[in-house]
Amino acid sequence: MIELANFERFGGVNGLRLSHSCNVTVENLMFVNPPHYTIYLGDSEDVTIRNVKSFSCEGWSDGIDMMSCRNVLVDGGFLRTSDDCIAIYASRWDNRGDSRNITVRNLSVWADVAHPLMIGTHGAHEEEGDVIEDILFENIDILEHHEYQAGYLGAMAINAGDKNVVRNVTYRNIRIEPFAHGKVLDFQVKWNKDYNPAPGRLISDIRLEQIHVMSGRGEEPSCICGHDEQNHVEKIEIRSFFRDGVRAESLAQANIVVGMYAKAVVLS
């Protein structure tokens, strides 16, 4: 157990930082109140994280955040974090390049605010952006999502900013408990001016399979939309989406709204 409660709030201390690293295994650690990320992964590859638990309550105290990482497996564990539980980004700070081949599975996540599962915000905006691809979320329980800021909703969120392309992402066997406030999913190519000097470019080839949602009073309609004609969303396939044990036969029954600049969104 790594106890971090006595470190200064907003001091930027992470529970564990792996920067420009490769061939690393992290197992059976518990973190209590890290002031910043529980595990920071930057420009690293061939990393395995097994059975990590975290409990945090400070602002920006995320769970496991990955920037410009390749070949990462997160397997098992429990994350109750004040901010995003899992976040997958591309270029940020001294970490440069695409993110790809990342699997997150057999996990329970509880976000006090922000997103349980997040992809896409940061990238090489000063250049031509990055690619975030080949991502799998599998066998995950989402226990809470409690966010009221309109730009940060989504238990499963892909918010492509900074000229990023996000593609080939699969969510499989995801169970979502009733949550305090938010959206089940939020897939947007967007320009979040708090963090993005430019909008993202594309979200494409996203698959959702065996999604089980228990309705809560704080749920807003899910959203799939692009930013404009050039910066859009396409090829979203939703299979076996269940709400309160009943299989949704339409996007309306799934409480999903398809907005502008989104095409080829199919529920079956």
Side-chain angles (χ1 to χ4, degrees):
M1 178 185 288
I2 300 175
E3 169 65 62
L4 294 152
N6 291 328
F7 284 85
E8 181 182 358
R9 187 184 184 194
F10 304 127
V13 176
N14 302 291
L16 174 65
R17 178 168 176 161
L18 300 176
S19 295
H20 316 294
S21 303
C22 64
N23 300 319
V24 178
T25 298
V26 179
E27 291 185 299
N28 300 324
L29 297 181
M30 180 184 294
F31 297 86
V32 178
N33 209 25
H36 202 29
Y37 306 149
T38 296
I39 298 181
Y40 173 125
L41 290 174
D43 189 20
S44 296
E45 60 185 315
D46 299 315
V47 176
T48 298
I49 299 170
R50 288 197 180 96
N51 194 33
V52 164
K53 300 178 177 65
S54 181
F55 304 86
S56 70
C57 68
E58 305 292 359
W60 299 306
S61 55
D62 292 20
I64 300 171
D65 279 30
M66 311 170 216
M67 289 151 275
S68 300
C69 290
R70 287 82 53 198
N71 307 328
V72 177
L73 171 63
V74 178
D75 190 359
F78 180 94
L79 302 174
R80 178 177 181 177
T81 57
S82 176
D83 214 300
D84 297 336
C85 297
I86 298 285
I88 301 173
Y89 303 133
S91 296
R92 195 181 194 194
W93 301 315
D94 63 334
N95 309 299
R96 315 304 299 172
D98 302 335
S99 287
R100 60 172 50 90
N101 193 25
I102 296 169
T103 295
V104 179
R105 68 189 186 198
N106 306 326
L107 191 66
S108 295
V109 292
W110 177 331
D112 284 334
V113 297
H115 312 90
L117 306 176
M118 174 61 168
I119 300 174
T121 304
H122 303 290
H125 58 82
E126 68 278 15
E127 300 169 6
E128 292 304 314
D130 294 306
V131 176
I132 301 172
E133 63 182 352
D134 302 329
I135 312 298
L136 171 63
F137 294 104
E138 185 172 35
N139 192 32
I140 294 175
D141 289 286
I142 296 176
L143 305 180
E144 181 60 287
H145 172 37
H146 191 173
E147 178 61 72
Y148 285 88
Q149 298 178 88
Y152 302 95
L153 307 181
M156 298 179 287
I158 303 176
N159 289 174
D162 283 357
K163 304 181 185 177
N164 284 338
V165 171
V166 180
R167 65 191 181 198
N168 195 22
V169 178
T170 299
Y171 299 85
R172 181 184 299 133
N173 197 16
I174 310 296
R175 298 167 296 276
I176 303 174
E177 295 289 317
F179 50 69
H181 189 265
K183 300 176 181 179
V184 170
L185 62 88
D186 186 65
F187 297 163
Q188 295 192 53
V189 173
K190 66 189 302 182
W191 189 354
N192 180 343
K193 295 185 179 180
D194 289 336
Y195 290 103
N196 302 137
R201 283 188 289 160
L202 176 68
I203 296 173
S204 179
D205 294 285
I206 313 300
R207 291 167 297 279
L208 297 94
E209 305 170 1
Q210 291 293 331
I211 309 300
H212 297 263
V213 177
M214 297 300 293
S215 300
R217 289 183 295 176
E219 181 183 342
E220 294 189 16
S222 294
C223 178
I224 300 174
C225 67
H227 183 264
D228 54 37
E229 290 284 357
Q230 289 72 41
N231 306 288
H232 64 277
V233 178
E234 64 180 19
K235 300 179 184 176
I236 311 296
E237 183 178 7
I238 305 169
R239 294 183 178 178
S240 301
F241 187 106
F242 292 85
R243 180 173 291 280
D244 303 321
V246 178
R247 183 168 179 162
E249 301 294 336
S250 66
L251 291 169
Q253 288 180 9
N255 199 23
I256 297 172
V257 174
V258 178
M260 296 182 67
Y261 315 118
K263 56 188 178 180
V265 178
V266 177
L267 183 146
S268 62

